[in-house]
């Protein structure tokens, strides 16, 4: 059965951004970020891919250590679409996916050039190759939930010579598919997004098997991530403390709080709760494993996601599960990539690992009504987030747009839950833990060796 996928720009200002890129001279390419729910795809942000300053270096990739971030005043460094590096733009897509809340994806790409890329065979083949590279890169790690459910990807082309926007969709599952014309609509006003908050705590212990070379931190993290993934996938999600029908539409669940001065046009945040499965009986068989230590994985993952009010409860359930696991996978990868030595030697009795914490990033085009995220290592300041956002999202923010989530503890969460039915101001700096708080504390405790 064929399903027609609808596309629209929900952020406003997308056309202005493309024209601005066109004024920089040369050609440019970037990513379309947004949400895929049901048969509708909404683009929320256009992110120009930064210049490949290591184009002549094999296996170069985007780095978290940013020296020269692209700014709107930069000139485009490409002459045409054929000069786009598939690996570079796919790497950009991987880094940007870490910054997206659950339910949002890289939905396609945009191209700014003077030539007609859709009527040139070489350019079409290049576009297919770019989309295929992005799809393979984002599909390589299941815990990142990098690709939407459908296989269509949007390509928006802005012709500088004609001052014209043309949009087509490509099927990434078919390498030679004919692109289809798309009526990509730029909405004059912003979508009213439904905000959903969740606060989930992990506290688990895993065995450590010591090898001659020591304990691999990366392997331990992967073991934890796999277990967390299986638990979260089998969990159930309550909305505002109640189990709802999966087909219920979110806007039908929204009821104005009696006596509240909150505008009826602004959906009240919905509180999500994740409940893990509990075995009713002991397993028939018990596996005995000899180990020299344990890994204690404990901490808090609090999430904030956004959905179209027309989305269903099933959509919300899927999105929040994606967010928790994607957030864990992102910071685990960042932490392991930053390690000087992946192995812990057997004589190291106790080792403490603290992955980066999530901070929220305000998208200027949504006036504080939608946030993406970034991650800061202990000791890093909002300056690092500002630089990362400029490079990855090609947007200017200030330090006030970076919201610390690590400032809020469980006591504030309890206070927040009591008031969760009251209206909230997205521009306040005190969000409580209803904000997407993610504080993952990983303690690898290598206990004493067996005594003879």
């Amino acid at each position: 059965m064929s399903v027609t996928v609808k596309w629209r720009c929900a952020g406003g200002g997308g056309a202005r951004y493309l024209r601005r890129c066109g004024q920089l001279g040369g050609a440019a390419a970037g990513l379309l970020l947004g949400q895929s729910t049901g048969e509708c795809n909404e683009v929320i942000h256009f992110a120009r891919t930064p210049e490949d300053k290591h184009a002549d270096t094999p296996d170069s990739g985007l780095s978290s250590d940013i020296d020269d971030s692209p700014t709107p005043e930069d000139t485009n460094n490409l002459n045409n679409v054929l000069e786009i590096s598939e690996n570079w733009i796919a790497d950009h897509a991987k880094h940007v996916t870490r910054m997206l809340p659950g339910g949002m994806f890289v939905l396609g790409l945009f191209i700014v050039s003077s030539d007609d890329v859709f009527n040139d065979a070489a350019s079409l083949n290049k576009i297919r190759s770019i989309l295929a590279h992005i799809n393979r890169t984002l599909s390589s790690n299941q815990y990142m939930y990098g690709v939407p459910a459908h296989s269509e990807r949007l390509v928006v082309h802005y012709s500088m010579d004609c001052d014209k926007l043309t949009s087509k969709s490509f099927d990434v599952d078919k390498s030679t598919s004919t692109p289809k014309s798309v009526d990509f609509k730029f909405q004059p006003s912003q979508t009213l997004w439904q905000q959903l908050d969740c606060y989930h705590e992990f506290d688990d212990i895993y065995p450590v098997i010591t090898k001659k070379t020591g304990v691999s931190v990366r392997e331990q993290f992967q073991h934890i991530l796999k277990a967390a993934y299986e638990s979260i996938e089998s969990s159930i999600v309550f909305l505002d403390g109640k189990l709802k029908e999966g087909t219920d539409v979110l806007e039908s669940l929204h009821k104005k709080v009696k006596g509240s001065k909150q505008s009826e046009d602004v959906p009240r945040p919905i509180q999500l709760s994740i409940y893990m499965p509990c075995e009713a009986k002991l397993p028939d068989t018990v596996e005995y494993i000899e180990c020299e230590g344990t890994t204690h994985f404990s901490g808090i993952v609090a999430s904030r996601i956004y959905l179209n009010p027309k989305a269903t409860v099933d959509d919300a359930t899927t999105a929040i599960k994606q967010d928790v696991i994607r957030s864990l996978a992102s910071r685990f990868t960042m932490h392991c990539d930053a390690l000087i030595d992946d192995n812990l030697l057997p004589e190291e009795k106790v080792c403490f690992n603290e992955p980066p914490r999530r901070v929220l990033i305000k998208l200027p085009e949504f006036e504080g009504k939608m946030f993406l995220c970034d991650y800061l290592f202990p000791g890093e300041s909002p300056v690092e987030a500002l630089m990362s956002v400029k490079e990855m999202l090609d947007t200017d923010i200030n330090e006030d747009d970076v919201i610390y989530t690590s400032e809020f503890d469980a006591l504030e969460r309890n206070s927040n839950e009591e008031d969760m039915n009251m209206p909230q101001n997205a521009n306040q700096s005190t969000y409580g833990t209803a904000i997407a708080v993610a504080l993952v504390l990983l303690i690898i405790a290598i206990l004493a060796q067996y005594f003879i």
Side-chain angles (χ1 to χ4, degrees):
M1 182 177 66
S2 176
V3 177
T4 301
V5 180
K6 300 177 182 178
W7 299 87
R8 64 186 181 188
C9 181
R16 292 194 303 271
Y17 177 81
L18 294 178
R19 290 188 175 92
R20 191 193 72 181
C21 289
Q23 295 171 356
L24 303 179
L31 305 172
L32 304 177
L33 315 179
Q35 185 169 105
S36 175
T37 54
E39 299 177 7
C40 185
N41 291 265
E42 297 188 81
V43 175
I44 64 164
H45 189 73
F46 293 70
R48 184 175 57 148
T49 298
E51 179 184 352
D52 184 357
K53 297 181 176 64
H54 307 283
D56 297 328
T57 303
D59 300 324
S60 62
L62 291 168
S63 171
S64 58
D65 298 326
I66 306 161
D67 297 323
D68 299 303
S69 304
T71 65
E73 290 76 26
D74 286 342
T75 58
N76 296 320
N77 62 311
L78 303 172
N79 294 314
N80 53 61
V81 67
L82 301 179
E83 295 184 0
I84 299 174
S85 167
E86 289 93 336
N87 291 333
W88 185 253
I89 198 169
D91 202 42
H92 182 211
K94 179 181 68 176
H95 282 74
V96 166
T97 298
R98 295 175 182 171
M99 307 175 78
L100 299 177
M104 294 196 178
F105 307 88
V106 174
L107 298 179
L109 60 98
F110 70 84
I111 298 170
V112 176
S113 67
S114 57
D115 52 338
D116 188 350
V117 298
F118 293 136
N119 286 322
D120 177 70
S123 297
L124 279 177
N125 288 333
K126 185 67 172 182
I127 292 173
R128 293 190 183 98
S129 178
I130 294 170
L131 293 174
H133 271 72
I134 293 175
N135 194 61
R136 283 196 297 271
T137 298
L138 297 183
S139 301
S140 62
N141 186 347
Q142 65 170 324
Y143 304 123
M144 287 301 298
Y145 295 97
V147 295
H150 60 80
S151 59
E152 283 194 35
R153 302 293 182 269
L154 178 66
V155 178
V156 177
H157 176 246
Y158 172 65
S159 173
M160 296 182 292
D161 291 347
C162 304
D163 188 27
K164 179 182 178 181
L165 288 169
T166 307
S167 304
K168 292 185 180 294
S169 67
F170 291 72
D171 190 336
V172 293
D173 287 344
K174 301 176 181 177
S175 58
T176 59
S177 65
T178 302
K180 298 185 298 184
S181 296
V182 173
D183 182 17
F184 182 51
K185 298 179 179 179
F186 288 85
Q187 296 184 157
S189 59
Q190 294 181 357
T191 299
L192 289 176
W193 295 89
Q194 175 64 62
Q195 175 185 316
L196 302 98
D197 299 323
C198 179
Y199 184 100
H200 187 71
E201 185 172 358
F202 288 93
D203 190 7
D204 301 289
I205 296 177
Y206 301 90
V208 172
I209 308 300
T210 303
K211 301 178 181 178
K212 291 182 180 180
T213 57
V215 178
S216 169
V217 176
R218 190 179 296 272
E219 288 181 6
Q220 287 299 121
F221 274 42
Q222 283 300 115
H223 179 56
I224 292 170
L225 188 58
K226 180 176 183 293
Y229 168 80
E230 292 173 350
S231 296
I232 292 293
E233 281 297 307
S234 60
S235 66
I236 59 175
V237 177
F238 281 40
L239 285 77
D240 283 340
K242 297 180 181 178
L243 184 62
K244 305 290 186 178
E245 290 292 334
T247 55
D248 288 349
V249 178
L250 294 181
E251 65 179 359
S252 69
L253 307 179
H254 173 65
K255 295 181 180 179
K256 186 179 179 183
V257 181
K258 186 176 182 180
S260 170
K261 297 180 180 180
Q262 182 181 12
S263 169
E264 295 183 3
D265 294 332
V266 180
R268 164 182 68 81
I270 294 176
Q271 188 72 29
L272 303 180
S273 302
I274 300 176
Y275 291 95
M276 313 303 289
C278 181
E279 296 293 337
K281 62 178 182 178
L282 293 175
D284 296 331
T285 59
V286 178
E287 183 181 4
Y288 175 77
I289 301 176
E290 291 189 6
C291 62
E292 291 75 25
T294 58
T295 299
H296 183 200
F297 170 59
S298 64
I300 298 163
V301 176
S303 303
R304 169 166 290 184
I305 62 175
Y306 300 88
L307 292 173
N308 189 298
K310 300 292 184 182
T312 65
V313 169
D314 279 342
D315 292 329
T317 299
T318 299
I320 196 61
K321 291 180 178 182
Q322 289 175 350
D323 188 79
V324 172
I325 299 302
R326 179 187 284 174
S327 180
L328 287 180
S330 297
R331 67 189 85 199
F332 283 2
T333 299
M334 294 174 67
H335 179 77
C336 291
D337 289 344
L339 292 176
I340 298 175
D341 187 357
D342 177 57
N343 289 319
L344 299 175
L345 298 178
E347 58 265 23
E348 295 184 77
K349 301 301 181 183
V350 177
C351 180
F352 179 77
N353 283 266
E354 188 175 5
R357 295 184 177 96
R358 174 188 264 176
V359 292
L360 299 183
I361 304 297
K362 184 187 299 183
L363 280 181
E365 57 263 46
F366 285 91
E367 300 175 350
K369 298 176 183 177
M370 178 177 289
F371 292 79
L372 300 188
C373 70
D374 198 8
Y375 298 91
L376 296 180
F377 284 93
E380 289 187 330
S381 69
V383 174
E384 278 79 12
L386 299 184
M387 298 168 67
S388 177
V389 168
K390 286 181 180 179
E391 183 182 45
M392 300 300 169
L393 301 179
D394 191 26
T395 189
D396 286 308
I397 62 172
N398 55 52
E399 291 192 23
D400 292 337
D401 297 324
V402 180
I403 308 300
Y404 276 106
T405 60
S406 58
E407 298 176 356
F408 308 100
D409 57 21
L411 291 176
E412 289 175 307
R413 176 206 174 210
N414 294 335
S415 174
N416 182 73
E417 286 183 339
E418 294 176 0
D419 299 329
M420 69 179 183
N421 290 329
M422 299 303 293
Q424 300 181 30
N425 185 347
N427 290 320
Q428 293 177 343
S429 60
T430 54
Y431 286 87
T433 51
I435 293 182
V437 176
L439 174 59
V440 179
L441 297 176
L442 179 64
I443 303 176
I444 297 184
I446 309 300
L447 303 180
Q449 303 293 322
Y450 280 81
F451 291 99
I452 298 177

